[in-house]
Amino acid sequence: MIERNTFTQEDCLETGYAMSIAGRVIVLKQSSLPEKYQNSLHQLYFCNGGNGSNPNPIGRSVFTVALADGTHVRWNRSDVLGTLKPKLLPDLARLHLSQIRPCNEVELREADPKYSGYSFLPDGRYSAGVWLADEKEAMKYIKMQKDYQHRVMLCDRNDFCVFEMIKGKVIYPSQEVIDEFLLGQQDSGMNIKL
């Protein structure tokens, strides 16, 4: 991967206000960053939501997690250049992204987590697992990681693999087992899609 000093509009899948940026890695405009953060890694954030994250937003608040250091930061939609092309995400940012739990979920101190999520780089490197409270949160973790990570894996409380995806393709369990699980979740009122 080519290291960049600055991400530009050409590095984005989409730009402008007509797109949703929630659940995506976004690129901030260089002009919006403090002078001490004038490098490409500090332009990258994962968008958790906010009124400004919607297509043609009415509000302007965008809630994010910095992929340089994991801090939570609020930006305005006008600070956002666009959504980054997944193949351009640097390895360090991929590792930081793998540590983000889906937003608006159960506080871990209020639940006994059922799963841990892991994301791997092509060379096998990974960060520690992320605790995930339940099936719904586990599915959200997969959805937020799948476009950016080489390999995504979920393990149960006993550290047995219950799900694995490589390059966006599910390799474990079989498609029939997944379909059966999703059908059961729909019957219980949890409309979950991968």
Side-chain angles (χ1 to χ4, degrees), residues 31-166:
S31 59
S32 298
L33 297 169
E35 194 170 313
K36 66 180 182 176
Y37 296 123
Q38 294 290 315
N39 68 50
S40 61
L41 188 58
H42 286 94
Q43 284 183 273
L44 302 177
Y45 289 77
F46 180 77
C47 179
N48 278 328
N51 288 333
S53 69
N54 300 318
N56 303 312
I58 295 172
R60 61 183 187 163
S61 293
V62 175
F63 300 108
T64 66
V65 179
L67 295 182
D69 59 16
T71 57
H72 293 261
V73 184
R74 180 209 166 274
W75 295 97
N76 290 329
R77 179 64 184 254
S78 59
D79 295 319
V80 176
L81 181 62
T83 58
L84 185 69
K85 293 176 182 173
K87 67 180 182 180
L88 298 179
L89 190 62
D91 287 349
L92 182 60
R94 287 179 200 277
L95 292 172
H96 282 260
L97 177 63
S98 74
Q99 296 299 291
I100 300 173
R101 287 182 63 229
C103 64
N104 301 323
E105 293 304 322
V106 177
E107 288 292 324
L108 288 179
R109 63 179 169 262
E110 298 172 10
D112 188 22
K114 291 184 176 183
Y115 302 99
S116 53
Y118 299 89
S119 295
F120 297 82
L121 299 178
D123 64 8
R125 286 182 292 155
Y126 69 100
S127 293
V130 175
W131 286 118
L132 304 167
D134 54 24
E135 289 80 8
K136 183 179 176 185
E137 189 173 42
M139 295 302 246
K140 284 185 175 183
Y141 180 81
I142 293 166
K143 188 174 182 180
M144 68 187 267
Q145 300 293 333
K146 70 178 184 172
D147 291 337
Y148 300 101
Q149 304 293 354
H150 173 72
R151 178 177 167 211
V152 179
M153 183 169 42
L154 295 179
C155 294
D156 64 13
R157 290 290 300 198
N158 296 317
D159 215 22
F160 289 108
C161 179
V162 296
F163 177 90
E164 188 171 10
M165 172 184 280
I166 297 179

